[in-house]
């Protein structure tokens, strides 16, 4: 190895040798640069004329290393086959931009390659090599750290998770008037152990209660684990097999500890792929229980007559978006359609579909890499056109990543569609048997009361799914919402848009929330705008209040609920909430 | 027939083939030294497919232009691919027919068929050179080996085309060039991208095995055209 090579570059090359297997070597060696894969990539289609997005071009950024160090022609006459080594950290940064920022590992090029070159697989390998030397987008580092240290990729604390399940249980018990409707936690020897995406706890608890309703009405013997409940796995996106194995093992061991007979994985493309298809390989773990997607479970319940559904509950036209991980890596394409046809009146197919569908553009961890957001949204034009062509009002998908990716692009391209999941539609269509129906509890007034018509609110957060979540709530209540994903953008948008309120995250890449807040308070144009801090790190509150500027007008800890957000917003905007109860 | 042409048709070809076989064997041993990834999980998908089905589908993929969007939507490119590779088979076959079964070329039909195939492949080769140079996408992914391999094959097709009648009455130059080029081609192939056909069965095998196990292969496709 060259003595002028940086330590990180040296490590990347050494570790590459250990990562190579026959499949990857075959894919490296077999490419003939025929260009057949080019138009299969949504990045290429959305960036005409720019060859740097072409799958073969991106693949060569990794392949050149293989050729230079592991392939004989490249070792002897490197220039003849474009073999090149890597020497500096800057070159590794450039590679990072390609493997993380220009590819979602959707595998669409792989199935369009005449030679069977599986670019997505070795792109993931390259991500893993970079991660192993600490070169990765900040979001990837943050999420990976949370999953290593806290046990789930959104840093949801155990008490918050349990709290959420408990209040959902209370609501379910109230709704059905039956204590058996509660969510069982850590029940031993259950037939089903249900695992979820932490996004459900943090932003979308309705998916948990909808699933719980279905299990309850089906009379399932089920449980949710108090720990090791996260079926997502950032190891798939970061390429870190160690993380992938550790996360998968945590979940498998919990199911075994509980004596569960089957692990049911809630609707999440990468979670399903990681847990069902890859986890055992990363963890080198053989299982003594079965696993299936909740889509399969719900469909089976209907077939077995354990739940009854009425499709007239879902009358709006719906289309279905196949998650890449479900369709192109796990073959889960027919069950969701069958289920959708049972619970929705008008299903409109999207073209292309199934394994040929285009990526939601938020896959491969893209939603956590805010530095690539403009690039991601530009490439989303392909998906936007595909969605618009269906004319559907709802796009249904079995993936939380896709929910966020699609929501973001729908907003960006002003498609006016809504995104939902099968579990929501099934729950909506459930026919509740008379004997199971409790006396309806008094209707809880919607947190929505108190319109925000005429108000403009700037939501600042580096987590696109949080931005989508908060924006959707505020827009539903009539506010006009603008977004910013980092500190500099926040100041720019605030000056341009003069919002009535700013919700501000603290931890962001670049200029963080503390600096942004101080800048706003010192800026004559912005200082009068109310600011509500929303953060997942309450310990940072002191840093805000210790500053020599007027304090923020509100402060909310994540995870937030619709009610807490609206209560704070209304309070800050001095909207008098009409008492509805 | 001159001694030189006899040497080119026989000894030279045999030595070149031997070298190619040795290098290919070495290449395969090298590939097989890498461990194959293992899949521990149970099959996914609808249950009507398997690793075995996936492998067969994957191998046959190239003969099913409808199976991949890339070949379905770029049928012109796919047709070129077919003719170009038929040209390779024909030109290689010719290097065996001339020395070992020249009487076959007494059939004007066979001569015409070979010339049509090889001639078409030669024209396609020329088109591919232009495409590789003219398209910025193709330029961006091309190495010197890509250009050289394409030019080598196209020129080889040209001389193969004129060698088909195996007629030395006008001189042996064309045949000599064809056989020397064939020998060079055989020796050069394992070191170049032309060796892709050596890897093809492996890459498609493993992709098919994985995607078959996961219920992706054979791909289910419900196209808009099929709906209408």
């Amino acid at each position: 190895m060259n003595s002028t090579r940086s330590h990180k570059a040296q490590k990347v090359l050494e570790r590459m040798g250990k990562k190579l297997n026959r499949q990857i070597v075959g894919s490296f060696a077999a490419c003939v640069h025929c260009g057949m894969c080019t138009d299969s990539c949504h990045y290429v289609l959305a960036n005409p004329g720019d060859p740097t997005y072409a799958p073969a071009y991106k693949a060569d950024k990794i392949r050149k290393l293989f050729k230079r160090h592991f392939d004989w022609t490249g070792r002897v006459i490197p220039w003849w086959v474009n073999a090149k080594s890597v020497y500096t950290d800057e070159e590794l940064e450039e590679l990072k931009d390609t493997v993380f920022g220009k590819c979602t590992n959707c595998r669409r090029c792989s199935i369009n390659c005449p030679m069977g070159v599986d670019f997505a697989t070795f792109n993931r390998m390259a991500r893993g090599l970079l991660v192993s030397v600490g070169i990765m987008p900040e979001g990837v580092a943050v999420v990976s750290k949370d999953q290593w240290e806290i046990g789930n990729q959104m840093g949801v604390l155990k008490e918050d998770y349990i709290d959420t399940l408990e209040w959902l249980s209370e609501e379910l018990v109230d709704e059905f008037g039956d204590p058996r409707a509660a969510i069982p936690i850590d029940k031993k020897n259950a037939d089903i152990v249900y695992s979820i995406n932490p996004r459900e706890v943090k932003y979308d608890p309705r998916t948990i209660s909808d699933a719980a309703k279905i299990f309850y009405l089906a009379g399932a013997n089920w449980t949710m684990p108090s720990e090791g409940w996260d079926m997502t796995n950032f190891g798939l996106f970061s390429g870190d097999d160690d993380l992938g194995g550790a996360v998968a093992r945590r979940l498998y061991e919990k199911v075994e500890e509980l004596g569960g007979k089957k692990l049911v994985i809630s609707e999440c493309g990468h979670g399903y792929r990681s847990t069902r298809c890859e986890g055992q390989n990363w963890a080198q773990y053989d299982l003594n229980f079965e696993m299936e997607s909740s889509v399969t479970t719900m469909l089976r319940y209907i077939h077995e007559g354990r739940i009854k559904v009425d499709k007239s509950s879902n009358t709006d036209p719906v289309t279905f978006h196949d998650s890449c991980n479900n369709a192109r890596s796990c073959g889960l394409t027919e069950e969701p359609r069958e289920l959708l046809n049972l619970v929705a009146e008008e299903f409109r197919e999207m073209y292309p579909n199934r394994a040929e569908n285009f990526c939601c553009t938020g896959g491969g961890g893209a939603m956590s890499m805010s530095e690539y957001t403009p690039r991601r949204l530009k490439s989303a034009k392909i998906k936007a056109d595909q969605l618009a062509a269906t004319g559907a009002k709802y796009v249904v998908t079995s993936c939380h990543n896709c929910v966020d990716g699609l929501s973001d692009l729908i907003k960006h391209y002003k498609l006016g569609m809504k995104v939902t999941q099968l579990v929501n539609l099934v729950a909506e269509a459930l026919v509740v048997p008379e004997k199971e129906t409790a006396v309806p509890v008094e209707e809880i007034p919607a947190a929505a009361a108190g319109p925000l018509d005429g108000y403009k609110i700037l939501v600042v957060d580096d987590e696109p799914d949080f931005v989508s979540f908060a924006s959707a709530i505020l827009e539903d209540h009539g506010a006009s919402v603008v977004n910013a994903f980092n500190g500099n953008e926040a100041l720019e948008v605030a000056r341009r848009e003069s919002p009535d309120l700013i919700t501000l995250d603290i931890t962001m890449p670049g200029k963080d929330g503390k600096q942004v807040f101080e800048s706003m308070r010192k800026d004559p144009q912005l200082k009068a705008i109310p600011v509500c801090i929303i953060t997942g790190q309450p310990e940072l509150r002191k840093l805000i209040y210790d500053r020599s500027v007027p304090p923020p007008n509100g402060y909310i800890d994540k995870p937030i609920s619709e009610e807490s957000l609206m209560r704070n917003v209304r309070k800050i905007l001095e909207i008098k909430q009409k008492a509805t109860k | 027939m001159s001694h030189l042409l006899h040497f080119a048709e026989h000894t030279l070809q045999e030595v070149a083939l031997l070298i190619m076989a040795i290098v290919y064997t070495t290449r395969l041993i090298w590939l097989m030294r890498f461990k194959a990834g293992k899949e521990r999980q149970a099959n996914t998908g609808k249950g009507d497919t398997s690793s075995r089905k996936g492998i067969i589908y994957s191998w046959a993929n190239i003969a099913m232009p409808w199976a991949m969007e890339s070949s379905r939507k770029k049928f012109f490119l796919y047709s070129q691919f077919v003719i170009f590779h038929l040209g390779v088979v024909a030109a290689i076959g010719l290097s065996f027919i001339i020395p070992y079964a020249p009487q076959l070329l007494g059939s004007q039909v066979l001569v015409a068929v070979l010339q049509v195939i090889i001639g078409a492949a030669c024209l396609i080769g020329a088109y591919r050179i232009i495409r590789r140079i003219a398209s910025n996408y193709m330029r961006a992914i091309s190495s010197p080996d890509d250009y050289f391999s394409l030019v080598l094959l196209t020129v080889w097709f040209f001389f193969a085309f004129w060698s088909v009648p195996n007629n030395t009455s006008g001189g042996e130059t064309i045949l000599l060039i064809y056989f020397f080029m064939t020998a060079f081609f055989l020796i050069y192939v394992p070191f170049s991208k032309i060796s892709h056909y050596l890897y093809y069965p492996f890459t498609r095998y493993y992709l098919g095995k994985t995607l078959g196990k996961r219920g992706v292969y054979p791909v289910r496709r419900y196209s808009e055209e099929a709906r209408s």
Side-chain angles (χ1 to χ4, degrees):
Chain A
M1 298 275 181
N2 194 307
S3 58
T4 59
R5 188 171 282 121
S6 74
H7 176 72
K8 288 182 177 179
Q10 176 83 21
K11 287 291 168 198
V12 162
L13 294 174
E14 285 172 11
R15 288 167 187 170
M16 187 174 193
K18 292 175 187 159
K19 287 264 190 181
L20 294 174
N21 63 26
R22 207 176 298 155
Q23 287 92 325
I24 290 177
V25 170
S27 282
F28 275 138
C31 178
V32 288
H33 295 144
C34 67
M36 291 288 272
C37 57
T38 305
D39 294 343
S40 63
C41 176
H42 59 274
Y43 281 106
V44 173
L45 297 174
N47 294 276
D50 185 348
T52 67
Y53 287 102
Y57 181 88
K58 293 182 280 193
D60 277 357
K61 296 273 181 189
I62 311 161
R63 185 177 284 114
K64 69 179 184 181
L65 304 178
F66 167 80
K67 290 204 165 182
R68 184 69 187 89
H69 294 276
F70 303 96
D71 189 51
W72 55 13
T73 319
R75 279 173 167 170
V76 180
I77 35 172
W79 60 274
W80 189 246
V81 291
N82 282 355
K84 263 185 168 178
S85 190
V86 62
Y87 294 95
T88 65
D89 292 355
E90 286 71 31
E91 289 172 291
L92 293 178
E93 289 287 341
E94 282 174 29
L95 183 60
K96 179 194 84 173
D97 186 71
T98 298
V99 301
F100 284 102
K102 291 186 171 180
C103 174
T104 56
N105 274 358
C106 78
R107 224 176 194 174
R108 199 166 191 273
C109 57
S110 304
I111 66 157
N112 274 297
C113 172
M115 290 298 297
V117 170
D118 193 358
F119 168 52
T121 296
F122 65 79
N123 192 65
R124 179 179 175 273
M125 181 200 76
R127 287 181 173 200
L129 291 172
L130 292 174
V131 165
S132 76
V133 294
I135 293 182
M136 67 194 107
E138 190 179 343
V140 172
V142 170
V143 178
S144 299
K145 186 171 180 290
D146 278 348
Q147 199 152 30
W148 271 119
E149 294 177 0
I150 302 176
N152 65 81
Q153 63 157 292
M154 286 194 171
V156 176
L157 300 174
K158 185 179 176 183
E159 50 269 34
D160 292 332
Y161 166 73
I162 299 291
D163 277 353
T164 304
L165 296 190
E166 284 175 354
W167 69 254
L168 290 174
S169 283
E170 285 167 21
E171 285 189 354
L172 287 162
V173 169
D174 283 349
E175 182 178 343
F176 290 102
D178 183 351
R180 290 173 302 168
I183 297 170
I185 300 173
D186 281 345
K187 184 176 170 187
K188 293 274 185 186
N189 304 314
D191 294 336
I192 286 172
V193 176
Y194 186 56
S195 60
I196 58 167
N197 183 321
R199 181 183 174 279
E200 298 179 63
V201 183
K202 210 162 176 178
Y203 304 117
D204 199 5
R206 188 188 153 203
T207 55
I208 305 173
S209 60
D210 281 350
K213 275 182 205 173
I214 293 164
F215 285 130
Y216 166 66
L217 290 175
N221 174 19
W222 74 293
T223 190
M224 290 183 75
S226 61
E227 287 176 305
W229 48 268
D230 180 7
M231 53 68 176
T232 68
N233 196 323
F234 219 69
L236 180 70
F237 298 152
S238 68
D240 182 350
D241 289 348
D242 291 337
L243 174 62
V247 171
R249 182 176 284 272
R250 205 179 283 160
L251 179 54
Y252 299 152
E253 286 178 348
K254 189 68 188 174
V255 177
E256 288 181 347
E257 179 195 318
L258 292 173
K261 295 182 183 65
K262 183 182 277 182
L263 174 63
V264 171
I265 302 154
S266 78
E267 286 179 89
C268 176
H270 101 267
Y272 181 64
R273 179 178 170 190
S274 301
T275 306
R276 176 67 179 78
C277 293
E278 314 284 2
Q280 285 182 259
N281 305 316
W282 294 329
Q284 302 286 295
Y285 200 99
D286 291 315
L287 301 179
N288 57 11
F289 57 85
E290 292 176 37
M291 294 188 279
E292 71 182 14
S293 163
S294 60
V295 174
T296 310
T297 314
M298 291 187 284
L299 186 59
R300 196 178 53 250
Y301 285 166
I302 295 175
H303 284 165
E304 291 173 355
R306 292 173 67 173
I307 54 172
K308 293 201 173 354
V309 286
D310 174 9
K311 61 164 71 178
S312 67
S313 303
N314 297 307
T315 54
D316 284 328
V318 298
T319 187
F320 185 73
H321 164 80
D322 290 280
S323 135
C324 304
N325 285 312
N326 280 340
R328 263 192 290 279
S329 287
C330 297
L332 186 67
T333 56
E334 306 313 304
E335 295 88 341
R337 286 175 170 77
E338 197 181 340
L339 187 54
L340 197 46
N341 275 313
L342 290 169
V343 298
E345 278 194 337
E346 191 182 347
F347 166 49
R348 298 179 182 177
E349 192 63 91
M350 186 187 298
Y351 296 94
N353 53 55
R354 296 174 169 81
E356 293 189 342
N357 189 28
F358 280 105
C359 176
C360 69
T361 65
M367 298 306 289
S368 65
M369 306 173 202
S370 51
E371 59 268 56
Y372 302 128
T373 300
R375 202 184 279 175
R376 171 172 61 79
L377 285 171
K378 187 177 179 195
S379 77
K381 175 75 170 65
I382 307 307
K383 189 81 231 172
D385 291 345
Q386 219 190 336
L387 293 178
T390 67
K393 281 196 173 175
Y394 281 87
V395 52
V396 184
T397 185
S398 285
C399 174
H400 282 279
N401 240 328
C402 297
V403 169
D404 287 336
L406 294 172
S407 301
D408 215 20
L409 76 88
I410 283 169
K411 188 174 175 193
H412 183 77
Y413 288 100
K414 300 181 172 59
L415 299 183
M417 297 172 83
K418 289 193 171 175
V419 188
T420 190
Q421 294 199 284
L422 275 162
V423 68
N424 305 130
L425 293 183
V426 173
E428 196 66 37
L430 279 173
V431 177
V432 181
E434 281 299 317
K435 62 175 182 177
E436 303 282 6
T437 312
V439 178
V441 294
E442 192 175 0
E443 196 174 323
I444 297 168
L452 299 177
D453 291 338
Y455 286 102
K456 186 187 283 182
I457 299 175
L458 167 58
V459 176
V460 185
D461 202 301
D462 64 325
E463 290 181 39
D465 44 10
F466 175 82
V467 172
S468 303
F469 171 71
S471 301
I473 293 173
L474 297 169
E475 282 175 344
D476 283 350
H477 291 270
S480 150
V481 180
V482 284
N483 302 142
F485 297 90
N486 59 53
N488 291 328
E489 192 185 0
L491 289 168
E492 187 189 318
V493 177
R495 289 191 187 105
R496 190 178 66 234
E497 301 285 342
S498 297
D500 300 295
L501 170 68
I502 298 168
T503 74
L504 181 63
D505 183 25
I506 295 184
T507 311
M508 292 187 292
K511 191 176 254 195
D512 66 24
K514 301 183 291 292
Q515 296 166 303
V516 173
F517 177 69
E518 190 163 353
S519 301
M520 284 176 175
R521 285 298 193 238
K522 288 179 176 171
D523 186 321
Q525 189 193 337
L526 305 178
K527 66 181 179 187
I529 300 175
V531 175
C532 178
I533 301 292
I534 301 180
T535 180
Q537 293 172 284
E539 67 276 13
L540 299 179
R541 181 189 294 240
K542 189 171 181 296
L543 296 175
I544 289 280
Y545 285 91
D546 278 353
R547 294 191 174 241
S548 58
V549 291
N553 308 71
Y555 202 107
I556 315 175
D557 290 338
K558 289 180 185 171
I560 62 166
S561 65
E562 181 175 352
E563 280 204 12
S564 68
L565 177 64
M566 288 306 300
R567 190 170 53 245
N568 280 274
V569 167
R570 277 197 300 264
K571 189 177 157 198
I572 295 169
L573 292 175
E574 295 179 345
I575 296 173
K576 290 181 183 172
Q577 184 188 1
K578 290 177 186 172
T580 50
K581 189 174 178 180
Chain B
M1 181 192 289
S2 69
H3 282 301
L4 184 60
L5 183 56
H6 186 270
F7 165 78
E9 286 186 9
H10 291 86
T11 313
L12 182 62
Q13 299 308 308
E14 286 151 13
V15 169
L17 279 168
L18 182 66
I19 293 172
M20 189 183 80
I22 292 168
V23 180
Y24 268 179
T25 308
T26 315
R27 202 70 171 147
L28 282 180
I29 292 169
W30 169 77
L31 179 65
M32 300 308 279
R33 275 174 48 207
F34 292 96
K35 268 177 66 178
K38 186 185 166 193
E39 300 222 88
R40 289 167 179 261
Q41 79 279 12
N43 288 9
T44 49
K46 284 293 278 180
D48 57 350
T49 184
S50 62
S51 292
R52 186 187 158 85
K53 245 186 178 177
I55 292 164
I56 293 167
Y57 176 83
S58 184
W59 274 336
N61 201 275
I62 204 68
M64 300 186 292
W66 60 89
M68 286 192 302
E69 183 191 80
S70 54
S71 46
R72 194 168 63 239
K73 287 193 170 172
K74 295 178 188 167
F75 195 72
F76 178 56
L77 268 182
Y78 177 78
S79 310
Q80 284 177 41
F81 151 82
V82 172
I83 295 167
F84 191 81
H85 285 81
L86 284 176
V88 173
V89 172
I92 289 277
L94 184 67
S95 74
F96 287 92
I97 292 173
I98 291 176
Y100 303 116
Q103 69 280 5
L104 292 178
L105 296 174
S107 160
Q108 288 307 302
V109 175
L110 180 63
V111 168
V113 168
L114 287 175
Q115 282 198 312
V116 166
I117 294 171
I118 295 170
C122 184
L123 291 175
I124 286 166
Y127 170 80
R128 286 182 158 200
I129 294 169
I130 294 166
R131 174 175 172 253
R132 198 167 277 278
I133 294 169
S135 159
N136 66 332
Y137 285 102
M138 295 303 291
R139 274 200 312 274
I141 58 174
S142 296
S143 66
D145 174 44
D146 291 317
Y147 292 109
F148 181 75
S149 298
L150 194 47
V151 171
L152 174 68
L153 278 167
T154 306
V155 175
W156 179 60
F157 284 142
F158 177 82
F159 286 103
F161 175 84
W162 294 111
S163 299
V164 173
N166 192 23
N167 186 350
T168 53
S169 58
E172 295 178 342
T173 311
I174 296 285
L175 277 165
L176 279 170
I177 293 174
Y178 165 65
F179 276 106
F180 271 95
M181 282 196 76
T182 305
F184 176 78
F185 170 71
L186 293 175
I187 294 168
Y188 177 70
V189 164
F191 299 96
S192 77
K193 75 163 201 172
I194 308 171
S195 63
H196 63 275
Y197 60 82
L198 183 71
Y199 303 112
Y200 177 84
F202 293 92
T203 50
R204 293 237 60 112
Y205 171 88
Y206 286 113
L207 190 69
K209 189 177 173 197
T210 301
L211 297 186
K213 185 173 180 61
R214 296 173 180 214
V216 180
Y217 270 2
V219 168
R220 289 178 175 80
R221 199 170 68 79
Y222 296 81
S223 69
E224 203 151 13
E225 305 87 67
R227 183 181 60 163
S228 57

